[in-house]
Short mmCIF file of all heavy atoms in Angstrom, two decimals:
data_model
loop_
_atom_site.label_atom_id
_atom_site.label_comp_id
_atom_site.label_asym_id
_atom_site.label_seq_id
_atom_site.Cartn_x
_atom_site.Cartn_y
_atom_site.Cartn_z
N SER A 1 15.62 -28.16 -2.37
CA SER A 1 16.69 -28.57 -1.48
C SER A 1 16.23 -28.60 -0.02
O SER A 1 15.26 -27.94 0.35
CB SER A 1 17.84 -27.57 -1.64
OG SER A 1 18.84 -27.82 -0.71
N ASP A 2 16.94 -29.34 0.82
CA ASP A 2 16.60 -29.36 2.25
C ASP A 2 17.43 -28.35 3.05
O ASP A 2 17.47 -28.40 4.26
CB ASP A 2 16.76 -30.78 2.81
CG ASP A 2 18.18 -31.30 2.73
OD1 ASP A 2 19.03 -30.63 2.11
OD2 ASP A 2 18.45 -32.37 3.31
N HIS A 3 18.10 -27.45 2.36
CA HIS A 3 18.85 -26.38 3.03
C HIS A 3 18.63 -25.08 2.27
O HIS A 3 18.18 -25.09 1.13
CB HIS A 3 20.35 -26.72 3.09
CG HIS A 3 21.01 -26.70 1.74
ND1 HIS A 3 20.91 -27.76 0.87
CD2 HIS A 3 21.73 -25.75 1.11
CE1 HIS A 3 21.56 -27.46 -0.25
NE2 HIS A 3 22.06 -26.26 -0.12
N HIS A 4 18.95 -23.99 2.90
CA HIS A 4 18.83 -22.68 2.26
C HIS A 4 20.17 -21.96 2.35
O HIS A 4 20.84 -22.04 3.38
CB HIS A 4 17.76 -21.82 2.93
CG HIS A 4 16.39 -22.41 2.83
ND1 HIS A 4 15.69 -22.51 1.65
CD2 HIS A 4 15.58 -22.94 3.78
CE1 HIS A 4 14.51 -23.05 1.88
NE2 HIS A 4 14.42 -23.35 3.17
N VAL A 5 20.52 -21.27 1.29
CA VAL A 5 21.71 -20.43 1.27
C VAL A 5 21.26 -19.02 0.95
O VAL A 5 20.43 -18.81 0.06
CB VAL A 5 22.72 -20.94 0.21
CG1 VAL A 5 23.92 -20.01 0.13
CG2 VAL A 5 23.16 -22.36 0.53
N TYR A 6 21.80 -18.06 1.68
CA TYR A 6 21.39 -16.67 1.52
C TYR A 6 22.57 -15.81 1.12
O TYR A 6 23.73 -16.14 1.37
CB TYR A 6 20.83 -16.13 2.84
CG TYR A 6 19.59 -16.85 3.28
CD1 TYR A 6 19.68 -17.99 4.08
CD2 TYR A 6 18.34 -16.41 2.90
CE1 TYR A 6 18.54 -18.66 4.48
CE2 TYR A 6 17.19 -17.07 3.30
CZ TYR A 6 17.29 -18.19 4.09
OH TYR A 6 16.17 -18.86 4.48
N LYS A 7 22.25 -14.69 0.51
CA LYS A 7 23.25 -13.67 0.19
C LYS A 7 22.73 -12.35 0.75
O LYS A 7 21.52 -12.15 0.85
CB LYS A 7 23.45 -13.57 -1.32
CG LYS A 7 24.52 -12.57 -1.70
CD LYS A 7 24.90 -12.68 -3.16
CE LYS A 7 26.02 -11.70 -3.42
NZ LYS A 7 26.67 -11.95 -4.68
N LYS A 8 23.65 -11.44 1.12
CA LYS A 8 23.27 -10.13 1.63
C LYS A 8 23.81 -9.05 0.71
O LYS A 8 24.92 -9.17 0.19
CB LYS A 8 23.85 -9.89 3.02
CG LYS A 8 23.32 -10.80 4.08
CD LYS A 8 23.75 -10.36 5.46
CE LYS A 8 25.21 -10.61 5.73
NZ LYS A 8 25.60 -10.34 7.13
N VAL A 9 23.03 -8.01 0.53
CA VAL A 9 23.48 -6.80 -0.15
C VAL A 9 23.20 -5.63 0.79
O VAL A 9 22.33 -5.71 1.66
CB VAL A 9 22.79 -6.58 -1.51
CG1 VAL A 9 23.15 -7.66 -2.49
CG2 VAL A 9 21.29 -6.48 -1.36
N GLU A 10 23.95 -4.57 0.63
CA GLU A 10 23.73 -3.39 1.45
C GLU A 10 23.19 -2.27 0.59
O GLU A 10 23.72 -1.99 -0.49
CB GLU A 10 25.02 -2.95 2.15
CG GLU A 10 24.79 -1.89 3.18
CD GLU A 10 25.98 -1.69 4.11
OE1 GLU A 10 27.03 -2.30 3.88
OE2 GLU A 10 25.84 -0.91 5.06
N VAL A 11 22.13 -1.63 1.06
CA VAL A 11 21.50 -0.53 0.34
C VAL A 11 21.18 0.59 1.33
O VAL A 11 21.16 0.37 2.54
CB VAL A 11 20.20 -0.97 -0.38
CG1 VAL A 11 20.50 -2.03 -1.43
CG2 VAL A 11 19.16 -1.47 0.59
N VAL A 12 20.93 1.78 0.79
CA VAL A 12 20.50 2.91 1.61
C VAL A 12 19.20 3.43 1.04
O VAL A 12 19.13 3.78 -0.15
CB VAL A 12 21.56 4.02 1.64
CG1 VAL A 12 21.06 5.22 2.45
CG2 VAL A 12 22.87 3.51 2.22
N GLY A 13 18.17 3.46 1.86
CA GLY A 13 16.88 4.02 1.46
C GLY A 13 16.73 5.40 2.07
O GLY A 13 17.31 5.72 3.10
N SER A 14 15.95 6.25 1.40
CA SER A 14 15.72 7.59 1.93
C SER A 14 14.26 7.98 1.77
O SER A 14 13.53 7.42 0.95
CB SER A 14 16.62 8.61 1.25
OG SER A 14 16.27 8.76 -0.10
N SER A 15 13.85 8.94 2.57
CA SER A 15 12.49 9.46 2.53
C SER A 15 12.46 10.83 3.18
O SER A 15 13.19 11.07 4.15
CB SER A 15 11.55 8.52 3.29
OG SER A 15 10.28 9.12 3.47
N ARG A 16 11.61 11.69 2.68
CA ARG A 16 11.40 12.98 3.33
C ARG A 16 10.42 12.85 4.50
O ARG A 16 10.35 13.73 5.34
CB ARG A 16 10.85 14.00 2.33
CG ARG A 16 11.87 14.49 1.35
CD ARG A 16 11.32 15.69 0.59
NE ARG A 16 12.34 16.28 -0.26
CZ ARG A 16 13.21 17.20 0.13
NH1 ARG A 16 13.19 17.65 1.37
NH2 ARG A 16 14.10 17.69 -0.71
N THR A 17 9.70 11.72 4.57
CA THR A 17 8.62 11.56 5.52
C THR A 17 9.04 10.90 6.83
O THR A 17 8.74 11.42 7.91
CB THR A 17 7.49 10.72 4.89
OG1 THR A 17 7.14 11.29 3.63
CG2 THR A 17 6.28 10.67 5.78
N SER A 18 9.71 9.70 6.75
CA SER A 18 9.99 8.96 7.99
C SER A 18 11.04 7.88 7.76
O SER A 18 11.35 7.52 6.62
CB SER A 18 8.72 8.30 8.52
OG SER A 18 8.31 7.26 7.66
N ILE A 19 11.52 7.34 8.86
CA ILE A 19 12.44 6.21 8.81
C ILE A 19 11.74 4.99 8.23
O ILE A 19 12.31 4.27 7.41
CB ILE A 19 13.02 5.93 10.22
CG1 ILE A 19 13.96 7.06 10.62
CG2 ILE A 19 13.73 4.59 10.27
CD1 ILE A 19 14.42 7.03 12.05
N ASP A 20 10.50 4.76 8.64
CA ASP A 20 9.74 3.62 8.10
C ASP A 20 9.61 3.71 6.58
O ASP A 20 9.77 2.71 5.87
CB ASP A 20 8.34 3.55 8.72
CG ASP A 20 8.34 3.04 10.14
OD1 ASP A 20 9.36 2.48 10.57
OD2 ASP A 20 7.32 3.20 10.82
N ASP A 21 9.32 4.89 6.07
CA ASP A 21 9.22 5.06 4.62
C ASP A 21 10.56 4.81 3.94
O ASP A 21 10.61 4.25 2.85
CB ASP A 21 8.73 6.46 4.25
CG ASP A 21 7.22 6.61 4.33
OD1 ASP A 21 6.52 5.59 4.51
OD2 ASP A 21 6.75 7.75 4.20
N ALA A 22 11.64 5.23 4.58
CA ALA A 22 12.98 5.00 4.01
C ALA A 22 13.26 3.51 3.90
O ALA A 22 13.78 3.03 2.88
CB ALA A 22 14.04 5.69 4.86
N ILE A 23 12.89 2.74 4.92
CA ILE A 23 13.06 1.29 4.89
C ILE A 23 12.20 0.69 3.79
O ILE A 23 12.68 -0.11 2.97
CB ILE A 23 12.69 0.66 6.26
CG1 ILE A 23 13.71 1.07 7.33
CG2 ILE A 23 12.60 -0.86 6.15
CD1 ILE A 23 13.29 0.74 8.74
N ASN A 24 10.94 1.07 3.74
CA ASN A 24 10.03 0.52 2.73
C ASN A 24 10.45 0.89 1.31
O ASN A 24 10.32 0.08 0.40
CB ASN A 24 8.59 0.97 3.01
CG ASN A 24 8.00 0.21 4.19
OD1 ASN A 24 8.17 -0.99 4.31
ND2 ASN A 24 7.32 0.92 5.06
N ASN A 25 10.96 2.10 1.12
CA ASN A 25 11.46 2.50 -0.21
C ASN A 25 12.62 1.62 -0.65
O ASN A 25 12.69 1.17 -1.79
CB ASN A 25 11.88 3.97 -0.21
CG ASN A 25 10.71 4.93 -0.08
OD1 ASN A 25 9.56 4.56 -0.32
ND2 ASN A 25 10.99 6.15 0.32
N ALA A 26 13.55 1.37 0.27
CA ALA A 26 14.70 0.52 -0.05
C ALA A 26 14.26 -0.90 -0.39
O ALA A 26 14.72 -1.48 -1.38
CB ALA A 26 15.69 0.51 1.11
N LEU A 27 13.36 -1.47 0.41
CA LEU A 27 12.90 -2.83 0.16
C LEU A 27 12.11 -2.94 -1.15
O LEU A 27 12.25 -3.92 -1.88
CB LEU A 27 12.06 -3.33 1.34
CG LEU A 27 12.82 -3.52 2.65
CD1 LEU A 27 11.86 -3.86 3.77
CD2 LEU A 27 13.90 -4.58 2.51
N ALA A 28 11.30 -1.94 -1.44
CA ALA A 28 10.52 -1.95 -2.68
C ALA A 28 11.44 -1.94 -3.89
O ALA A 28 11.23 -2.69 -4.87
CB ALA A 28 9.57 -0.77 -2.71
N GLU A 29 12.47 -1.12 -3.86
CA GLU A 29 13.41 -1.06 -4.99
C GLU A 29 14.21 -2.35 -5.12
O GLU A 29 14.41 -2.84 -6.23
CB GLU A 29 14.35 0.14 -4.86
CG GLU A 29 13.69 1.46 -5.11
CD GLU A 29 13.08 1.58 -6.50
OE1 GLU A 29 13.72 1.18 -7.49
OE2 GLU A 29 11.94 2.06 -6.59
N CYS A 30 14.67 -2.90 -4.01
CA CYS A 30 15.41 -4.17 -4.05
C CYS A 30 14.55 -5.28 -4.65
O CYS A 30 15.03 -6.08 -5.45
CB CYS A 30 15.84 -4.59 -2.65
SG CYS A 30 17.28 -3.74 -2.05
N SER A 31 13.29 -5.32 -4.26
CA SER A 31 12.40 -6.38 -4.72
C SER A 31 12.12 -6.32 -6.21
O SER A 31 11.70 -7.31 -6.80
CB SER A 31 11.08 -6.33 -3.94
OG SER A 31 11.32 -6.64 -2.60
N LYS A 32 12.39 -5.18 -6.83
CA LYS A 32 12.21 -5.06 -8.29
C LYS A 32 13.26 -5.86 -9.06
O LYS A 32 12.99 -6.33 -10.15
CB LYS A 32 12.27 -3.60 -8.72
CG LYS A 32 11.07 -2.79 -8.30
CD LYS A 32 11.23 -1.36 -8.76
CE LYS A 32 10.08 -0.48 -8.29
NZ LYS A 32 10.28 0.92 -8.71
N SER A 33 14.46 -5.97 -8.50
CA SER A 33 15.54 -6.63 -9.24
C SER A 33 16.13 -7.85 -8.56
O SER A 33 16.91 -8.58 -9.16
CB SER A 33 16.66 -5.62 -9.54
OG SER A 33 17.19 -5.11 -8.33
N ILE A 34 15.77 -8.09 -7.29
CA ILE A 34 16.30 -9.24 -6.55
C ILE A 34 15.14 -10.15 -6.18
O ILE A 34 14.16 -9.71 -5.58
CB ILE A 34 17.03 -8.78 -5.26
CG1 ILE A 34 18.21 -7.89 -5.62
CG2 ILE A 34 17.48 -9.98 -4.45
CD1 ILE A 34 18.88 -7.26 -4.41
N LYS A 35 15.27 -11.43 -6.53
CA LYS A 35 14.25 -12.41 -6.18
C LYS A 35 14.48 -12.94 -4.77
O LYS A 35 15.60 -12.93 -4.27
CB LYS A 35 14.31 -13.60 -7.14
CG LYS A 35 13.96 -13.28 -8.56
CD LYS A 35 14.07 -14.54 -9.40
CE LYS A 35 13.81 -14.23 -10.85
NZ LYS A 35 13.95 -15.45 -11.68
N ASN A 36 13.43 -13.43 -4.15
CA ASN A 36 13.48 -14.14 -2.87
C ASN A 36 14.00 -13.30 -1.71
O ASN A 36 14.67 -13.81 -0.81
CB ASN A 36 14.33 -15.41 -2.99
CG ASN A 36 13.85 -16.32 -4.09
OD1 ASN A 36 12.65 -16.54 -4.25
ND2 ASN A 36 14.77 -16.86 -4.88
N VAL A 37 13.68 -12.00 -1.70
CA VAL A 37 14.06 -11.16 -0.55
C VAL A 37 13.28 -11.67 0.65
O VAL A 37 12.06 -11.81 0.60
CB VAL A 37 13.75 -9.67 -0.82
CG1 VAL A 37 13.96 -8.85 0.44
CG2 VAL A 37 14.62 -9.15 -1.96
N GLU A 38 13.99 -11.97 1.75
CA GLU A 38 13.34 -12.58 2.90
C GLU A 38 13.54 -11.85 4.22
O GLU A 38 12.79 -12.05 5.16
CB GLU A 38 13.78 -14.04 3.05
CG GLU A 38 13.30 -14.89 1.89
CD GLU A 38 13.46 -16.38 2.13
OE1 GLU A 38 13.90 -16.77 3.22
OE2 GLU A 38 13.12 -17.15 1.21
N TRP A 39 14.57 -11.01 4.34
CA TRP A 39 14.77 -10.32 5.61
C TRP A 39 15.64 -9.09 5.41
O TRP A 39 16.25 -8.90 4.36
CB TRP A 39 15.40 -11.26 6.65
CG TRP A 39 16.68 -11.90 6.26
CD1 TRP A 39 16.85 -13.10 5.66
CD2 TRP A 39 18.00 -11.37 6.41
NE1 TRP A 39 18.17 -13.36 5.43
CE2 TRP A 39 18.90 -12.30 5.89
CE3 TRP A 39 18.50 -10.19 6.94
CZ2 TRP A 39 20.28 -12.08 5.88
CZ3 TRP A 39 19.88 -9.99 6.92
CH2 TRP A 39 20.74 -10.94 6.41
#
């Protein structure tokens, strides 16, 4: 297609180490079940 349509979901990531790890943990889990994660 010549257009893109997006959907948003809200998740909460956690980590004992850092905020960056919490973000990366959430994105890694989302990417396991959601295709085309872009932002």
Side-chain angles (χ1 to χ4, degrees):
S1 173
D2 62 352
H3 68 280
H4 297 291
V5 176
Y6 297 89
K7 183 168 183 166
K8 295 190 288 187
V9 295
E10 190 166 5
V11 298
V12 177
S14 67
S15 169
R16 286 192 173 273
T17 308
S18 69
I19 290 171
D20 285 346
D21 278 351
I23 292 168
N24 286 317
N25 291 341
L27 293 174
E29 288 300 316
C30 281
S31 294
K32 289 179 183 178
S33 60
I34 299 173
K35 295 180 183 178
N36 305 317
V37 172
E38 294 192 2
W39 56 268

